Amino acid sequence: MTYCVGLLLNEGMVLLSDTRTNAGLDNISTYRKMFTFEEPGERVITILTAGSLSVTQTTIAQLREDIADREATPETSIMLAPTMLKVAEIVGNRLAVVRAEVDHKLAASQGASASMIVAGQRRGGAMRLFLIYPEGNFIEATEDTPFLQIGEHKYGKPILDRVVKPTTSLSDATKAVLLSMDSTLRSNLSVGMPLDLAVIERDACKVTLRRRIENGDPQFRAMSEAWSTALREGFAKITI
């Protein structure tokens, strides 16, 4: 399992993923789930992945092959696609094909499933954020719902519902996604450190902040403890 979240704001986009994958309590591994493709100043695309590792890794590998192909076209390469909508279509189609191929190789009861968040902007275009379903279809973040989640999302959703608006600053949004992840880490052992954080400022067309947060990171630990204290104090003040 995993937890990934993406925010679409007036000032830019904030993306966060964990790195834990496990096949049982005694088989826990760490794999990157955030992948960035960029031509600074021209376009930036960040993909977050959740679900079957065989499906997501194969999909990312094939997307990279399509980019490197000398005969690539705007119909096949996310780095040549004319719009972010077309990028989402390419990723969705590739994900659906890979998932079908993996499902065919597995028994019916062991079907593989995966989902992705695709975020980015091309020069002259708008920032856009999509959630790609296992079947390849997708939805897009809007002003009414400026964030998207995949994986074990239920624990981290309440703070996003209460705090995040399109007008939220990038600094406050970064704090919100980290607290959202902190809530998930505390409630579900299948989500784990380290974390990958990326911030993309509007019209920069590149990742403007990239950070890996390791287990025991003093800033993250201090933030987590401060949030726990604030919740306890707030709870104590409420009367019924």
Side-chain angles (χ1 to χ4, degrees), residues 68-191:
D69 187 352
R70 292 183 178 181
E71 298 182 359
T73 71
E75 296 295 318
T76 62
S77 170
I78 60 174
M79 295 303 285
L80 298 177
T83 65
M84 281 303 300
L85 179 62
K86 186 60 181 179
V87 169
E89 291 178 356
I90 292 172
V91 175
N93 290 338
R94 180 62 68 186
L95 176 60
V97 169
V98 171
R99 175 176 173 268
E101 291 174 349
V102 173
D103 276 351
H104 182 69
K105 296 176 182 177
L106 297 174
S109 61
Q110 296 178 313
S113 182
S115 55
M116 296 181 169
I117 289 176
V118 176
Q121 184 180 20
R122 65 176 181 83
R123 185 167 61 89
M127 298 182 304
R128 302 182 77 171
L129 181 70
F130 301 90
L131 190 160
I132 314 292
Y133 292 108
E135 296 77 14
N137 56 318
F138 53 85
I139 61 172
E140 184 173 4
T142 66
E143 288 189 1
D144 293 328
T145 307
F147 65 88
L148 297 173
Q149 302 167 284
I150 52 176
E152 197 61 70
H153 64 272
K154 56 184 176 290
Y155 304 106
K157 189 173 185 292
I159 186 173
L160 300 179
D161 283 332
R162 290 177 180 272
V163 171
V164 176
K165 308 294 180 187
T167 54
T168 301
S169 69
L170 290 178
S171 60
D172 282 349
T174 300
K175 180 167 56 177
V177 297
L178 289 172
L179 290 174
S180 175
M181 180 65 75
D182 179 65
S183 297
T184 306
L185 291 170
R186 285 176 174 268
S187 300
N188 194 304
L189 293 177
S190 69
V191 178

Side-chain angles (χ1 to χ4, degrees), residues 3 18 23 29 45 54 65 91 117 121 136 151 167 184 193 195:
Y3 176 48
D18 82 318
S29 301
I45 300 166
S54 62
E65 283 190 353
V91 175
I117 289 176
Q121 184 180 20
T167 54
T184 306
M193 307 284 278
L195 311 176

